Amino acid sequence: MKLFHNQWVLLTFGLIGAGLLFTGCSTYTVEYRKRPEYYANWGGDVPDRVVREDGTVVLYNLDPDEGDPEASVEPPRSPWIEKEDGSIEIDARTPEEMLAVILQCLQSKRWDVMWDQVLAEQTRLAYDSQAEGRDAFKIDMERKRVTMARTINRMIAGLGTHEVVMDSAGPNTLRIRLWPQTVREAKLKIKELILVEEGFGIRLAAVK
């Protein structure tokens, strides 16, 4: 879940390049990536090699200067993918990308996208345990929409500064919090988010 930029559109996160490997009659894609510094904050082992569901092999380098010098550099990717049929696909692979996705959901009131692709499974189950379930979540988001957006905007603006702290909150769990003085001065009601790793992506577990 160096490297923080104030504008999420620049979040390439150390992507060095991608190439195609051929084995017999099969073809698969290999992506070479620098190992982001935030990995040290996750409470869990980080593999050097990951195979995604689509067969893409991601190789992380211990040395950020290592990589395939012959690989071509790809343009920045977006974690918010709009398809031709109007549906949205979320592919947030870093905490910074997930912050941008959550903010987009809040601004566009895409509670369906947030429920299906942003919330952690444990959080959805907690809402489902209530009589209203998904409706309770929508009501909660309508009530917290402005306060959450203010906090996340401040987090995105403060990435890479002392105002934003990322630390482990347990195995495969990351806490993103604002400096207490920032919370007081900006009079923010929400001061931290809890993210968890699920599958090959990141999900929102809680806001506090």
Side-chain angles (χ1 to χ4, degrees), residues 29-49:
T29 302
V30 177
E31 293 182 1
Y32 299 89
R33 294 176 178 269
K34 296 178 184 178
R35 185 182 300 278
E37 292 178 2
Y38 71 80
Y39 270 149
N41 296 321
W42 292 93
D45 295 330
V46 180
D48 295 328
R49 182 180 186 274

Side-chain angles (χ1 to χ4, degrees), residues 118-152:
V118 174
L119 285 190
E121 181 180 5
Q122 65 192 54
T123 307
R124 290 197 304 273
L125 290 175
Y127 276 109
D128 281 335
S129 66
Q130 306 176 31
E132 299 83 2
R134 185 186 291 238
D135 290 336
F137 164 73
K138 292 180 179 179
I139 293 171
D140 205 21
M141 287 300 98
E142 288 287 355
R143 180 170 56 86
K144 295 179 179 179
R145 175 174 173 262
V146 174
T147 54
M148 282 181 64
R150 288 189 64 216
T151 295
I152 294 174

